[in-house]
């Protein structure tokens, strides 16, 4: 239903952009944006101002048909363009032209530590969105990985605000270069799925500013055109219309001029939503279009808002601000005549998918250099585990996709090795056999008539007879296994995988585990297997990307974007915080669950460092098939003021015998401060590709941002005089060189 676009093109066809003197200013794209917005606003009736700001279907809003202002079409997000659903239902519309490229999970993108890949990712996704005529992509998800149990970690960029911020900014620029808006989500402190509608995140200002908000701020700084409020409450008020978060910080301090969109069904009250800065309402229930009239008119921000304005309860000026934002968004996207046409399922997108997957895979262990697979030593491989053959582009909730194709790990290996290596497959266990997730069919039937004992016996037999075992372990986007709306219930792998891996490793010492998940899992068998790869959900090209790393066609260079905990009590959210929270009845909000963020700013490695804990793998960790040597870091000045730029340089050499990339990390440590600070914090990183024997000087600039902390009493970012250290690491736990300097 692109009626309004036709009206717009018609107006343009008749008028041209400037050919006729009487082209209305709002349709004349040679005029400044704000002038056009004001002109459109001045022509709108109160009813139109109300209507333009709420849904007319599951994913669209109506625009202003009478003025030729087009509809806005949103869609999930964030890893591919979701298939079309029916007008008012979540069911598939049954279109046959809505298969997409499924890109790797955002955790994988974060694990690449490559901002250029974030641009490539965003640009490619934006092109697909454009081709599918979408104006707003509901993503990226930028919530911080606070607990490994959070069901949506795979949609986010990991535990560190700096890494998440850098990757977010580039992703935003990429998507929006297509005239498609991002809708960065879920603002804010939305760090678990369990009780997601009622969790009240009780979090200090300092933790908000230092940990939970920077990635959103980075999106705003990169020019994000819209943002989605979370379902949760923050400090007692719903996040989607939270005075402090939306009005004071986002629109006030950061000067955000875009649209705040509710998460689907996150609005519960007209007055609070109007006054709390919400601009557009989506996803509130209708009764399936069976009621009289347009049920969308019953939205909290529809008729109740209209009547409220007429009755003088809400000012029209306040409404105008919301309308201006929606007009701005529409002019930047649907009414942007200079945007490209986009493309869907191009070879370039499939290659981008593969490249991002290859660059994000993390090699966690590689005893005896068992990887890459040596064709001289390995004549037969037993591939074991359901994840070797399971469709993972479907599932997980709203990010579920209808991918044009998906290469499973087993298929990728078969394609890579052809007849040169004998590959046998055994599943080993039956985990999840659902064929339908979030209204998308997997078109895969995974029932197996064998008993669990037989499955295991068959897997062990295959393992015994092979030169090498590749065990594809992990989660699978079914409920409680990396899925929206549910958290995991344990850090352990499901379906008895731990026991099976141990049994397999006992019969074949050459066992390699390839773990597919979007979050950390316990690895009690780690000491018994030779190698481990963390392989994420990689989209269409999953099998090819994994096979190319296993075979050594690609040298792994990903590093972990979060701490890999050995047990939940290593994670501050569980050790110190309240998870899953304490139920309470609130007189205004009803039954809610208070969740105190007692871990405060000590999230991830910030807590690990403070308590000197040894996790399974630290933040920033990842191996390569080559090795890297670091020289001594130098700094260009030993003293200066907080406004000076300090330059740190460190030579990095590829000391092995194959080309590879290293992620060099800069952490800053404030040796003495009036408020407690983390031992060190990531403030820079660079991914360098080096040929064997090649050395490159890697340079980082340190400015005020890298030195400051948020003083919540003063409500200011502060740099205190004293000694600081610039710490160069190959991970957060593998420090290679340190230089100190002083702020006067
Ligand atoms: C999710 C959002 C998503 C929206 C629309 C909500 O349930 O939390 O991330 O964009 O649905 O599908």
């Amino acid at each position: 239903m692109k009626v309004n676009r036709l009206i717009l093109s018609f107006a343009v066809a008749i008028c041209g952009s400037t050919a006729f003197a009487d082209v209305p200013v709002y349709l004349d794209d040679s005029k400044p944006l704000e002038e056009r917005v004001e002109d459109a606003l001045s022509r709108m009736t109160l009813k139109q101002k109300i209507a333009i700001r709420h849904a007319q279907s599951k994913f669209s809003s109506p625009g202003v048909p009478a003025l030729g202002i087009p509809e806005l079409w949103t869609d999930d997000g964030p890893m591919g363009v979701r298939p079309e659903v029916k007008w008012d239902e979540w069911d598939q519309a049954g279109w046959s032209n809505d298969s997409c490229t499924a890109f790797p999970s955002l955790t994988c993108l974060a694990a690449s530590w490559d901002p250029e890949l974030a641009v490539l990712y965003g640009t490619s996704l934006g092109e697909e969105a454009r081709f599918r005529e979408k104006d707003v992509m509901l993503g990226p998800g930028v919530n911080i990985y606070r607990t490994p149990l959070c069901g949506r970690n795979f949609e986010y960029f990991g535990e560190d605000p700096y890494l998440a911020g850098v990757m977010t900014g580039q992703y935003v620029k990429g998507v929006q270069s297509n005239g498609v808006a991002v809708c960065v989500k879920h603002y804010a402190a939305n760090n678990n799925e369990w009780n997601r509608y009622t969790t009240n995140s009780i979090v200090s200002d300092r933790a908000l500013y230092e940990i939970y908000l920077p990635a959103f701020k980075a999106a705003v700084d990169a020019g994000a055109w819209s943002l989605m409020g979370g379902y949760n409450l923050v400090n007692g008020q719903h996040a989607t219309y939270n005075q402090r978060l939306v009005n004071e910080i986002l629109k006030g301090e950061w000067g955000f001029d875009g649209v705040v969109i509710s998460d689907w069904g996150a609005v519960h009250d007209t007055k609070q939503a109007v006054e709390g800065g919400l601009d557009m309402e989506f996803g509130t229930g209708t009764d399936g279009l069976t009621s009289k009239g347009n049920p969308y008119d019953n939205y909290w921000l529809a008729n109740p808002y209209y009547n409220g304005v007429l009755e003088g309860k809400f000012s029209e000026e306040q409404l105008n601000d919301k309308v201006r934002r929606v007009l701005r968004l529409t002019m930047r996207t649907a009414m942007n005549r200079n945007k490209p046409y986009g493309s869907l399922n191009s070879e370039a997108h499939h290659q981008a998918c593969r490249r991002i997957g290859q660059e994000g895979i993390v090699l966690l262990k590689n005893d005896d250099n068992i990887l890459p697979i040596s064709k001289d030593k390995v004549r037969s491989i037993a591939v074991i585990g359901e994840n070797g053959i399971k469709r993972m582009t479907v599932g997980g909730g709203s990010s579920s996709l209808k991918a044009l194709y998906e290469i499973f790990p087993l298929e990728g290996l078969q394609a890579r090795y052809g007849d040169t290596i004998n590959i046998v497959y055994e599943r080993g266990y039956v985990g999840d056999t659902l064929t339908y997730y979030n209204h998308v069919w997997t078109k895969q039937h995974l029932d197996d008539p064998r008993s669990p004992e037989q499955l295991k016996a068959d897997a062990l037999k295959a393992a015994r007879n092979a030169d090498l075992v590749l065990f594809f372990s992990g989660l699978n986007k079914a409920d409680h296994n990396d899925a929206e709306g549910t958290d995991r219930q344990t850090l352990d792998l499901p379906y008895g995988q731990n026991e099976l891996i141990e049994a397999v490793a006992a019969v074949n010492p050459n066992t390699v585990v390839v773990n597919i998940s979007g979050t950390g899992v316990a690895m009690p068998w780690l000491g018994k297997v030779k190698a481990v790869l963390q392989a994420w959900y990689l989209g269409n090209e999953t099998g090819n990307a994994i096979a190319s790393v296993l075979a050594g066609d690609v040298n792994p260079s990903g590093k972990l974007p979060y701490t890999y905990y050995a047990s939940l009590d290593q994670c501050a959210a569980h050790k110190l915080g309240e998870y899953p929270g304490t139920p309470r009845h609130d007189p205004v909000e009803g039954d809610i669950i208070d969740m105190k963020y007692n871990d405060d700013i000590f999230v991830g490695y910030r807590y690990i460092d403070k308590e000197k804990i040894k996790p399974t793998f630290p933040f920033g960790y990842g191996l390569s098939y080559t090795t890297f040597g670091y020289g001594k870091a130098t700094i260009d000045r030993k003293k200066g003021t907080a406004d000076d730029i300090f330059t740190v340089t460190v030579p990095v050499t590829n000391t092995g015998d194959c080309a590879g990339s290293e992620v060099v990390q800069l952490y800053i440590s404030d040796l003495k401060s009036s408020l407690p600070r983390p031992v060190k914090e990531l403030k820079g990183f660079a991914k360098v590709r080096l040929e064997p024997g090649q050395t490159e000087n890697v340079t980082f600039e340190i400015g005020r941002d890298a030195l400051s902390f948020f003083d919540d009493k003063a409500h200011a970012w502060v740099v205190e005089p004293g000694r600081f250290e610039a710490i160069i690491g190959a991970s957060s736990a593998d420090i290679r060189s340190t230089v100190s300097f002083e702020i006067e």
Side-chain angles (χ1 to χ4, degrees):
M1 283 282 279
K2 295 278 170 177
V3 174
N4 296 325
R5 295 213 175 154
L6 290 179
I7 295 172
L8 174 67
S9 344
F10 180 64
V12 170
I14 296 175
C15 306
S17 63
T18 47
F20 293 90
D22 57 354
V23 172
V25 171
Y26 73 96
L27 286 180
D28 182 351
D29 53 12
S30 69
K31 292 277 192 304
L33 177 67
E34 293 307 314
E35 228 177 274
R36 296 174 62 203
V37 165
E38 288 311 315
D39 183 55
L41 182 72
S42 70
R43 296 164 191 267
M44 289 170 70
T45 64
L46 181 58
K47 277 233 148 91
Q48 290 168 338
K49 290 179 185 178
I50 293 290
I52 197 177
R53 296 166 319 83
H54 66 80
Q56 62 167 0
S57 73
K58 277 278 176 241
F59 283 102
S60 71
S61 58
V64 191
L67 292 178
I69 294 176
E71 300 166 334
L72 275 177
W73 279 84
T74 72
D75 206 359
D76 289 300
M79 283 132 11
V81 188
R82 182 180 177 154
E84 304 297 327
V85 299
K86 290 182 178 164
W87 189 260
D88 190 47
E89 286 153 49
W90 292 110
D91 286 347
Q92 296 284 284
W95 292 19
S96 52
N97 61 351
D98 56 353
S99 298
C100 67
T101 304
F103 294 94
S105 59
L106 293 193
T107 332
C108 171
L109 178 59
S112 77
W113 295 63
D114 187 341
E116 279 174 28
L117 286 187
V119 180
L120 176 69
Y121 193 119
T123 307
S124 311
L125 176 66
E127 284 167 357
E128 299 236 333
R130 258 307 290 129
F131 190 84
R132 293 265 310 275
E133 297 262 353
K134 305 299 178 193
D135 305 304
V136 181
M137 280 308 291
L138 304 176
V142 307
N143 294 103
I144 288 294
Y145 182 113
R146 177 172 177 255
T147 155
L149 301 190
C150 172
R152 293 185 91 169
N153 281 338
F154 71 98
E155 288 188 68
Y156 303 148
F157 287 111
E159 75 181 31
D160 183 75
Y162 179 82
L163 174 62
V166 171
M167 301 307 269
T168 298
Q170 301 307 309
Y171 177 113
V172 168
K173 286 181 194 156
V175 171
Q176 294 195 165
S177 65
N178 290 286
V180 174
V182 295
C183 184
V184 54
K185 66 192 188 184
H186 309 88
Y187 190 67
N190 182 196
N191 307 102
N192 50 277
E193 288 298 294
W194 179 236
N195 297 321
R196 65 174 174 164
Y197 302 106
T198 47
T199 292
N200 176 28
S201 307
I202 302 177
V203 52
S204 75
D205 246 23
R206 183 159 180 221
L208 280 173
Y209 277 82
E210 291 193 14
I211 306 291
Y212 297 105
L213 298 186
F216 291 99
K217 167 94 166 35
V220 172
D221 290 345
W225 293 331
S226 74
L227 170 144
M228 184 190 291
Y231 285 125
N232 55 310
L233 300 92
V234 177
N235 295 329
Q237 230 183 14
H238 278 278
T240 289
Y241 36 85
N242 187 292
Q243 281 293 346
R244 177 106 187 84
L245 287 180
V246 179
N247 283 337
E248 290 172 28
I249 298 176
L250 176 69
K251 293 183 175 177
E253 290 174 21
W254 301 349
F256 177 63
D257 72 355
V259 176
V260 177
I261 295 178
S262 70
D263 199 346
W264 268 230
V267 186
H268 311 282
D269 183 82
T270 302
K271 185 171 185 307
Q272 285 191 45
V274 168
E275 292 174 354
L278 181 66
D279 302 310
M280 284 186 106
E281 180 183 1
F282 276 90
T284 308
T286 66
D287 53 4
L289 294 180
T290 53
S291 64
K292 283 209 180 108
N294 177 8
Y296 290 91
D297 286 340
N298 298 325
Y299 268 34
W300 298 99
L301 289 188
N303 283 347
Y305 191 10
Y306 177 76
N307 294 332
V309 175
L310 288 183
E311 289 159 15
K313 285 194 206 144
F314 307 118
S315 79
E316 191 158 349
E317 200 32 56
Q318 188 181 41
L319 171 64
N320 285 347
D321 174 68
K322 298 176 196 292
V323 178
R324 280 190 190 98
R325 289 170 186 274
V326 180
L327 288 169
R328 218 173 271 139
L329 174 63
T330 311
M331 287 175 189
R332 286 167 165 163
T333 56
M335 288 174 81
N336 171 358
R337 266 186 247 128
N338 298 317
K339 64 191 174 194
Y341 297 138
S343 51
L344 187 65
N345 280 311
S346 66
E347 184 52 26
H349 293 172
H350 298 150
Q351 286 311 317
C353 168
R354 180 165 178 168
R355 206 175 134 209
I356 294 159
Q358 289 167 339
E359 293 280 313
I361 290 174
V362 186
L363 178 62
L364 295 173
K365 174 174 180 176
N366 195 17
D367 281 2
D368 306 335
N369 290 330
I370 191 169
L371 295 178
I373 295 167
S374 156
K375 269 211 210 158
D376 298 336
K377 295 189 197 141
V378 177
R379 297 269 166 239
S380 59
I381 298 177
V383 173
I384 298 178
E386 188 172 284
N387 281 359
I389 54 157
K390 186 162 170 59
R391 191 176 304 285
M392 301 283 198
T393 52
V394 181
S398 57
S399 61
S400 183
L401 297 169
K402 187 164 128 192
L404 184 65
Y405 67 90
E406 178 175 343
I407 313 272
F408 303 131
L410 177 63
E411 294 171 338
L413 286 161
Q414 287 164 335
R416 173 63 182 76
Y417 287 111
D419 294 334
T420 60
I421 291 184
N422 181 35
I423 299 176
V424 294
Y425 175 73
E426 274 302 334
R427 188 161 163 189
Y429 64 93
V430 172
D432 174 59
T433 55
L434 283 182
T435 51
Y436 192 58
Y437 298 85
N438 215 40
H439 305 274
V440 186
W441 293 103
T442 62
K443 297 193 181 142
Q444 211 184 14
H445 293 281
L446 289 178
D447 292 328
D448 197 308
R450 288 174 290 178
S451 67
E453 294 73 27
Q454 191 60 49
L455 281 157
K456 182 173 176 183
D458 290 348
L460 293 184
K461 186 168 166 216
R464 220 175 267 121
N465 294 334
D467 294 334
L468 179 81
V469 175
L470 294 176
F471 193 110
F472 285 87
S473 68
L475 309 174
N476 54 21
K477 296 192 181 173
D479 282 359
H480 304 295
N481 284 294
D482 277 341
E484 178 178 334
T486 61
D487 279 349
R488 290 164 67 206
Q489 290 161 325
T490 152
L491 195 59
D492 282 324
L493 287 170
Y495 319 125
Q497 291 179 78
N498 283 344
E499 295 72 26
L500 187 59
I501 294 171
E502 297 236 5
V504 165
V507 300
N508 190 330
N510 292 329
T511 294
V512 172
V513 174
V514 181
N515 188 62
I516 297 185
S517 67
T519 185
V521 299
M523 294 185 171
W525 34 260
L526 185 61
K528 300 189 177 137
V529 302
K530 283 253 168 83
V532 181
L533 273 188
Q534 175 63 34
W536 322 113
Y537 304 109
L538 300 181
N540 295 41
E541 288 285 325
T542 298
N544 288 336
I546 292 174
S548 58
V549 169
L550 288 171
D553 308 333
V554 169
N555 189 351
S557 61
K559 298 221 179 185
L560 291 175
Y562 56 75
T563 306
Y564 229 100
Y565 301 109
S567 59
L568 283 181
D569 67 359
Q570 292 192 332
C571 168
H574 294 273
K575 182 83 178 174
L576 310 175
E578 276 186 316
Y579 180 93
T582 310
R584 166 169 77 86
H585 185 79
D586 183 90
V588 179
E589 306 294 353
D591 291 332
I592 60 174
I593 315 263
D594 281 338
M595 190 183 286
K596 289 197 188 113
Y597 281 36
N598 294 334
D599 41 338
D600 204 53
I601 56 167
F602 294 98
V603 173
Y605 66 87
R606 289 163 167 80
Y607 182 67
I608 293 284
D609 278 355
K610 180 168 176 270
E611 299 299 325
K612 302 191 174 62
I613 294 167
K614 198 170 168 342
T616 307
F617 299 110
F619 172 80
Y621 170 85
L623 302 172
S624 164
Y625 294 151
T626 187
T627 47
F628 298 97
Y630 286 61
K632 209 171 148 22
T634 51
I635 191 159
D636 66 334
R637 59 169 80 207
K638 286 283 179 195
K639 261 187 190 171
T641 72
D643 292 319
D644 288 327
I645 300 290
F646 293 77
T647 304
V648 174
T649 305
V650 61
V652 180
T653 306
N654 181 342
T655 49
D657 51 16
C658 63
S661 299
E662 171 69 333
V663 177
V664 184
Q665 299 156 45
L666 167 76
Y667 295 86
I668 296 290
S669 177
D670 184 355
L671 297 183
K672 197 160 164 253
S673 59
S674 56
L675 288 182
R677 294 198 71 178
V679 173
K680 63 181 186 302
E681 293 182 283
L682 183 77
K683 294 295 172 184
F685 60 88
K687 192 165 189 174
V688 281
R689 184 174 168 80
L690 299 169
E691 295 299 320
Q694 190 188 347
T695 299
E696 194 168 310
N697 282 328
V698 179
T699 299
F700 298 101
E701 293 198 332
I702 302 171
R704 178 177 276 278
D705 284 356
L707 305 174
S708 50
F709 63 92
F710 191 77
D711 179 343
D712 42 1
K713 292 223 171 56
H715 194 74
W717 288 96
V718 174
V719 182
E720 288 177 341
R723 289 207 80 67
F724 287 77
E725 281 177 348
I727 299 168
I728 301 292
S731 80
S732 62
D734 182 4
I735 305 309
R736 300 300 182 93
S737 188
T738 300
V739 281
S740 69
F741 57 99
E742 195 169 328
I743 298 297
E744 293 170 321

